[in-house]
Amino acid sequence: MSAAAPLLEVDGLSTVLGSTGARILDRISFSLRRGEVLGVVGESGSGKSMLGLTIMGLLPPVIRRCEGRIVLDGEDLAGLSPKAWRAKRGRDLAMIFQEPMTALNPVMKVGAQVEEVLVRRRSMSRAAAREEVVRLFRRVEIPSPERRVAAYPHEMSGGMRQRVVIAMALAAQPKLLVADEPTTALDVTIQAQILDLLRDLQRDQGLSMLLITHDLGVIAETADRVIVLYAGRVAEIAPVRTLFDAPAHPYTRALLSSIPKTTGPRHRLVSIEGAVPGVGALPKGCRFAPRCPFHQPACDAAAPPLRVVGEGHVVSCILPCSTDRPVGALA
Ligand SMILES: Nc1ncnc2c1ncn2[C@@H]1O[C@H](COP(=O)(O)OP(=O)(O)OP(=O)(O)O)[C@@H](O)[C@H]1O
Ligand code: SF4
Ligand SMILES: [Mg+2]
């Protein structure tokens, strides 16, 4: 596999809810480069978690993947058996969630939990694993790591617990880390520290990360490129600066409209009139149409295809854009 090839390529990925046939994710395509932080942003219900869970092979039973490829380092995960996908999760794929306790065993010391990963996934001896846990705790900036390995999760703060979960994710040396709202449950100061840590890990260790968040401040500080999801479809993909300086999709513009610049205090998504349509009420054409101030009859005919409108910049909207080019490779 060439080093220049993307680490992850998602191509035409769709998921459906039970027998309804409603597409929760609809023909999602993007790529993630090695060592890149690719942000995924959108309002609640836009399909961010669904995307992360689909890549991890962790869909709830009522939802199934119906088409598309998920190619990680040259291998199509969508073709794997559940057992082989599980093995990938232990080794090549790791996920961290908003609430660290979902990943931690409350009655087991935190050091022992990370040690288990090292012994099982990297075949380390107990003695080597114990040393490695301390090194990992130091790497994720847990103070007094030699002492903290013996703590139980309830003896730690939320921020420290999330550091343990990040250490546990790193222990397996995954190719891809999927982080779903990793700082949302933490207070603002701790959020900033965890984001700094993730950014450092990305820089120092070339960690590749799909960073899911509803927080544009997190995106501005952490992501290299961004996917904007709306109601299960890609609205726009752009390098982070382009997204903030020249958003092309009316939905992205609405999201950004209350944010004057990319630096400064963190902002929550502005509220846009209306809500993301539920899976039972998805419009046939552009899914943003019921809320879009630029809506016109042509928007209702079919899903607008993704168009290239700039360097690494694609948008799904029929409105013309001054930098339009013919459709080419996706970002
Ligand atoms: N288990 C489920 N059964 C049925 N529908 C579901 C299920 N999980 C998610 N959905 C639907 O899938 C869509 C996408 O949900 P998802 O959880 O991915 O959104 P999200 O962008 O992660 O939102 P949030 O910011 O609130 O976490 C929503 O319409 C949601 O109602
Ligand atoms: S396709 Fe039409 S409704 Fe959809 S975002 Fe563009 S202008 Fe608005
Ligand atoms: Mg979610």
Side-chain angles (χ1 to χ4, degrees):
M1 188 59 18
S2 129
L7 173 68
L8 176 74
E9 278 186 284
V10 170
D11 183 19
L13 180 66
S14 300
T15 59
V16 290
L17 175 61
S19 55
T20 66
R23 287 186 183 229
I24 292 184
L25 295 180
D26 189 28
R27 288 162 286 172
I28 304 274
S29 294
F30 66 89
S31 61
L32 188 154
R33 300 172 192 142
R34 284 161 213 279
E36 174 176 61
V37 176
L38 181 60
V40 181
V41 73
E43 289 166 290
S44 185
S46 56
K48 305 181 299 294
S49 295
M50 197 57 59
L51 178 60
L53 293 172
T54 309
I55 292 168
M56 296 296 293
L58 284 173
L59 284 177
V62 290
I63 294 166
R64 68 184 165 81
R65 186 175 36 77
C66 65
E67 60 185 28
R69 297 187 317 139
I70 305 167
V71 180
L72 180 73
D73 215 5
E75 183 179 18
D76 188 2
L77 303 179
L80 294 179
S81 66
K83 187 172 169 220
W85 211 328
R86 199 174 322 123
K88 285 274 162 207
R89 279 202 294 281
R91 184 75 232 213
D92 294 342
L93 292 164
M95 187 160 185
I96 56 180
F97 297 90
Q98 174 172 334
E99 176 40 68
M101 283 312 287
T102 51
L104 294 173
N105 180 340
V107 295
M108 193 173 171
K109 290 176 181 170
V110 289
Q113 299 190 45
V114 180
E115 196 180 304
E116 276 310 302
V117 176
L118 294 164
V119 170
R120 271 189 293 118
R121 303 296 175 188
R122 284 170 56 194
S123 309
M124 283 192 175
S125 68
R126 286 281 161 198
R130 266 195 290 277
E131 272 180 36
E132 180 65 5
V133 173
V134 172
R135 195 192 69 77
L136 282 167
F137 275 23
R138 194 168 289 124
R139 181 66 199 84
V140 298
E141 294 158 20
I142 293 177
S144 315
E146 292 85 355
R147 196 164 51 77
R148 299 310 281 273
V149 290
Y152 288 95
H154 72 267
E155 296 172 320
M156 301 182 118
S157 66
M160 283 300 144
R161 286 201 284 257
Q162 197 59 299
R163 287 174 196 273
V164 171
V165 172
I166 294 169
M168 195 163 1
L170 295 177
Q173 298 182 325
K175 290 176 179 166
L176 175 68
L177 178 65
V178 177
D180 189 351
E181 307 275 6
T183 60
T184 304
L186 306 172
D187 77 45
V188 173
T189 321
I190 309 297
Q191 276 192 21
Q193 292 170 4
I194 297 284
L195 287 176
D196 282 351
L197 172 65
L198 290 173
R199 194 79 233 189
D200 280 359
L201 291 169
Q202 184 260 340
R203 208 178 34 235
D204 301 350
Q205 304 192 359
L207 189 68
S208 308
M209 185 167 33
L210 191 69
L211 176 67
I212 295 169
T213 177
H214 64 279
D215 188 330
L216 285 162
V218 170
I219 291 287
E221 284 169 33
T222 317
D224 298 306
R225 289 189 306 130
V226 189
I227 304 172
V228 181
L229 276 190
Y230 185 79
R233 283 190 190 147
V234 172
E236 184 161 5
I237 302 177
V240 69
R241 286 240 53 107
T242 308
L243 191 91
F244 281 90
D245 294 346
H249 196 285
Y251 176 59
T252 316
R253 284 190 232 139
L255 288 181
L256 291 166
S257 62
S258 76
I259 299 180
K261 53 189 184 330
T262 57
T263 52
R266 190 165 295 130
H267 294 263
R268 294 263 152 172
L269 293 188
V270 296
S271 65
I272 306 168
E273 212 169 297
V276 179
V279 283
L282 293 167
K284 176 166 166 277
C286 174
R287 290 184 173 178
F288 189 54
R291 302 168 78 188
C292 181
F294 308 102
H295 169 255
Q296 45 195 280
C299 306
D300 301 328
L306 280 173
R307 296 190 339 261
V308 178
V309 295
E311 194 61 45
H313 190 182
V314 296
V315 63
S316 161
C317 172
I318 65 162
L319 287 183
C321 196
S322 57
T323 49
D324 264 10
R325 294 203 310 257
V327 175
L330 294 184

